[in-house]
Amino acid sequence: MIEAREKNTRTIDPSRADAFERLASLSDPDLDDLTRALQMRVALNQIDSPALAVDIDGTVLDANDATGSLALNRDDLRGRPLWAPSLWHIADADTVLAPLIESCLDGRTRSRTIDIGEIEPRPLRIEITPIFGPNRSGPHRSVTLLLAELHPLTDRQETDAIIAATAQKLAAAEDIFRAVAEYTSDLVCLHEPDGTFTYVSPSVKRLLGLDASSVVGSQPVDLAHSDTRKALVHALQDASRRGSEPTRFRHRLRHRNGSYRWFETSITPIRDADGAPHQLQSSSRDITQQRETEQNLIKKAFHDELTGLPNKALLIDRMTQAFAASERTQQPIGVLLIDLDGFKTANDTLGHQTGVTALTKVAERLTAIVRPGDTLARIGSDEFVMLCAGTDGARGATVVARRIIDAFEQPFVLEGREVHLGVSIGIATALGDNDSTRVLDNAETAMFEAKQEGRGRFAIHNEADQSLALERLSTEEALRRAVGNNELRLHYQPEIDLDSNCIVGFEALVRWQRPDGRLILPDDFIPLAEESGLIVDIGKWVIREACRQAAQWRVHRTPDQEPVRIWVNLSARQLGDPDLINYVQSAIDDAGITTDEICLEITESALMGDAETATEQLDELRRLGISLGIDDFGIGWSQFGYLQRLPLDVLKIDRSFVAGLGAEKSAATIVAAIIDLAHALGLVVIAEGVETLQQLEVLAELDCDQALGFYFSQPQSPEAFDEVLTPLS
Ligand code: C2E
Ligand code: MG
Ligand code: MG
């Protein structure tokens, strides 16, 4: 029942009392209309809360400024009945407000909870206070005007707190609790500790279409949806066990019309003097609309609007889960990227709307193929992805791809016409943890391959390429750490002077000693180092180490002996590094050697890039006193003009020419020509890759200056040469 209270005597606030006086005086028949209107506005504005002056027949006469806070417009209200539909959330506000006004004519203040708001209901308490004419103290009291005050009940916590606190005092004043319970638009109930309803607020009519009296005595689970019944039972048990903290949960209750509505409920135990819970109090807010909005937002964020299929974001999420599962089970995942053939043309000729219909039909056809547990997503205008778990790798994915292609043999009926739409499919497989973007890229690459081979086909991403790429990636990572981890080694191959048969120098050749004991030769990591740019750091280390070794070998020589020279290979990247001169100089200085003890060699191809920078750098190195050589001569360039332009000292004949010496006549002719050319340019000639005595003899005959090769020695660790370099005393 609505709690009625006499309010006219509440005159604690002087301005409020003044407002009531002023409103009462308005019934004076001598007042002219203008004065009456002014006085009414002044009186209303003395009331802090949003308030309306209402005629005894329910017509709104005026509203105070505070009604603006409820987004009410005074001009819209004036002259209309208080229950005008535009004001309230419910259409039939008259059924609530007309009787309320009528009941106040007996001189008592009454209030009601009612929702305003056009879209979102906002509960408020409307409190109507009758205003008496001047003769109110006489025996014939008559109500001349009504003051309607609007108190919004927006703060859920606040109402909950009031209800909970009031409920605690219930034993003493149950009627007060009910009065408060009836102010709120939420469903407020009292229960036995086992859940049985003992009190149900009248809002149950609005929320569930039920009469409060019919609910009392029943159990909440009788109204619960089977999906959330367990949650409700647990919450009731939980609430009985807890202290005074409310238990909050979300669940569904059945409306009288058979539909279900979502509620957010908090249950608070009410304890007796000994602290034992003898009752439970629950407040439930209808969150059906809020949940629908939430669900719609979730659906929109993860689904394609046109087909309702998962979108790319959801697909990526599913792929991540599938990879994690594959990591556990070691079962490969198949990813099929399905692209419609000629969709764009069909779209252009048949029109956009038909295109849209086609896409939904395609989605339906694919959905019929997808197995439970697998995911079909639309990730582009005419691009779909099927994620298949447990497909037995590429073989299983192939079976699915064939089935899809077969399914598209059947034409689609679009606007009464038969239209053929084919598909091209790219398949990628993944085992264990993987990067979804990379797997999708692989599937796309394969799809393009399929398209190129003719439409209506599928192609599988080449796993060998993929594993090669992976291996490369991990080698690159390891190589990146190799310098810091001290995994690089220099081996040395002696260079022999063909006149004196003495060692005159060494070529420094880098090796990578992997932690697992393998010794990797430069051909297997220098190209990768070049591509990744790691060669610059490796090269710095090689120069530093070669200088250190030169210094160490020095102690084995007597002052009258020529120093041994160490030849270091320089890559194209290093030649382009502006820091090159600095680090060569500082490596020489730090080792305490002279610039004629270290020499640098470059291949012809290294010169082919930025020739200008290369020339400048070589000039600069030469100025420092460093000898420069051209490596692998004869296999790079067909033009030899650079030999003249560049500041070179040495030319090394590529071992492919040397290999033919003695066997092929032409080889000797070429080598002879190279030696003559080099000598004519004042260069020292070194032959690489001498393996036999015969080759050596031909080279000596052709007047070659020096040679290196397995005939003399394999590249070896520096200690192997310590003894050779020590002169016999
Ligand atoms: P390269 O500078 O032409 O070095 C000569 C290569 O021929 C060496 O291979 C050497 O072991 C091999 N060799 C020497 N004598 C013979 C022989 O009689 N017969 C045969 N079949 N081969 C012989 P390695 O050490 O595997 O080096 C290969 C290439 O790697 C080098 O060719 C050089 O271009 C590059 N390299 C080596 N160390 C470095 C370095 O520190 N920096 C740079 N940028 N490249 C390097
Ligand atoms: Mg070399
Ligand atoms: Mg060479």
Side-chain angles (χ1 to χ4, degrees), residues 421-710:
L421 284 173
V423 283
S424 295
I425 302 173
I427 299 173
T429 55
L431 181 67
D433 194 21
N434 251 288
D435 173 5
S436 39
T437 312
R438 200 171 52 80
V439 175
L440 281 177
D441 283 350
N442 290 344
E444 190 172 39
T445 312
M447 186 273 290
F448 283 125
E449 264 173 43
K451 269 209 195 295
Q452 261 165 14
E453 281 169 24
R455 284 136 192 257
R457 288 162 194 257
F458 65 85
I460 303 167
H461 182 256
N462 190 330
E463 280 167 86
D465 283 357
Q466 190 182 342
S467 56
L468 214 69
L470 272 181
E471 199 182 299
R472 234 187 82 106
L473 211 71
S474 75
T475 311
E476 192 182 314
E477 268 317 295
L479 189 56
R480 204 174 285 282
R481 292 189 297 267
V483 179
N485 289 353
N486 198 23
E487 291 171 19
L488 297 179
R489 307 276 177 271
L490 281 188
H491 280 189
Y492 294 89
Q493 192 176 26
E495 286 174 358
I496 311 297
D497 182 89
L498 297 188
D499 279 341
S500 66
N501 283 331
C502 286
I503 297 175
V504 285
F506 288 93
E507 179 170 2
L509 296 159
V510 71
R511 270 94 182 94
W512 180 13
Q513 179 78 61
R514 301 288 307 253
D516 60 10
R518 282 180 299 150
L519 190 71
I520 317 287
L521 290 176
D523 285 342
D524 291 334
F525 68 91
I526 292 288
L528 178 63
E530 296 250 16
E531 271 172 49
S532 58
L534 291 171
I535 190 68
V536 175
D537 278 346
I538 293 174
K540 278 184 191 168
W541 178 86
V542 169
I543 289 173
R544 208 149 254 286
E545 176 59 19
C547 290
R548 198 194 58 77
Q549 189 59 53
Q552 196 171 326
W553 273 333
R554 220 183 204 194
V555 299
H556 295 281
R557 316 285 281 173
T558 53
D560 56 313
Q561 282 183 306
E562 286 270 310
V564 278
R565 312 204 302 173
I566 297 182
W567 286 91
V568 170
N569 291 279
L570 209 61
S571 81
R573 281 255 196 171
Q574 284 174 284
L575 203 54
D577 180 5
D579 201 27
L580 172 71
I581 312 295
N582 281 340
Y583 67 70
V584 169
Q585 181 71 67
S586 74
I588 290 171
D589 293 347
D590 292 350
I593 58 167
T594 54
T595 48
D596 59 352
E597 287 169 84
I598 205 87
C599 316
L600 299 173
E601 58 183 67
I602 37 159
T603 57
E604 289 179 300
S605 52
L607 296 169
M608 283 161 72
D610 180 357
E612 204 176 314
T613 310
T615 312
E616 276 172 24
Q617 296 266 58
L618 293 175
D619 281 338
E620 193 65 33
L621 288 167
R622 186 69 179 292
R623 266 198 290 279
L624 294 181
I626 294 172
S627 293
L628 302 171
I630 194 87
D631 198 2
D632 301 346
F633 182 82
I635 56 163
W637 248 346
S638 52
Q639 293 167 352
F640 304 135
Y642 72 90
L643 288 179
Q644 231 176 343
R645 278 199 314 277
L646 294 178
L648 299 170
D649 303 280
V650 164
L651 182 153
K652 292 176 104 173
I653 304 176
D654 188 72
R655 68 167 188 267
S656 58
F657 300 107
V658 176
L661 290 180
E664 303 157 28
K665 219 167 161 231
S666 61
T669 316
I670 295 171
V671 170
I674 294 174
I675 292 171
D676 284 349
L677 171 74
H679 282 164
L681 292 167
L683 303 174
V684 171
V685 183
I686 306 181
E688 291 187 302
V690 179
E691 292 183 353
T692 64
L693 178 62
Q694 195 184 15
Q695 289 164 352
L696 180 64
E697 282 170 352
V698 178
L699 286 165
E701 216 170 279
L702 296 174
D703 211 13
C704 181
D705 303 302
Q706 298 170 15
L708 31 65
F710 294 168

Side-chain angles (χ1 to χ4, degrees), residues 297-344:
L297 280 177
I298 291 171
K299 197 164 162 49
K300 261 203 183 136
F302 291 107
H303 289 83
D304 162 42
E305 231 169 301
L306 179 69
T307 59
L309 292 175
N311 63 10
K312 191 163 180 181
L314 185 53
L315 172 72
I316 301 272
D317 186 57
R318 298 260 171 94
M319 284 176 83
T320 313
Q321 286 174 26
F323 293 153
S326 154
E327 178 86 20
R328 284 194 307 275
T329 60
Q330 284 300 300
Q331 270 207 321
I333 306 292
V335 175
L336 284 76
L337 194 126
I338 306 152
D339 190 276
L340 292 182
D341 292 332
F343 176 71
K344 207 182 160 309

Side-chain angles (χ1 to χ4, degrees), residues 36 53 87 92 174 206 225 247 268 296 319 349 359-360 377 423 426 484 497 509 533 580 607 644 672 698 727:
R36 185 177 285 117
L87 185 53
D92 53 358
E174 194 169 314
R206 187 170 63 88
H225 189 285
T247 303
T268 315
N296 279 343
M319 284 176 83
T349 41
L359 285 174
T360 43
V423 283
D497 182 89
L509 296 159
L580 172 71
L607 296 169
Q644 231 176 343
V698 178

Side-chain angles (χ1 to χ4, degrees), residues 205-228:
K205 181 86 185 168
R206 187 170 63 88
L207 295 167
L208 296 175
L210 300 169
D211 287 326
S213 56
S214 70
V215 181
V216 170
S218 67
Q219 281 277 347
V221 283
D222 298 339
L223 296 172
H225 189 285
S226 57
D227 286 356
T228 56

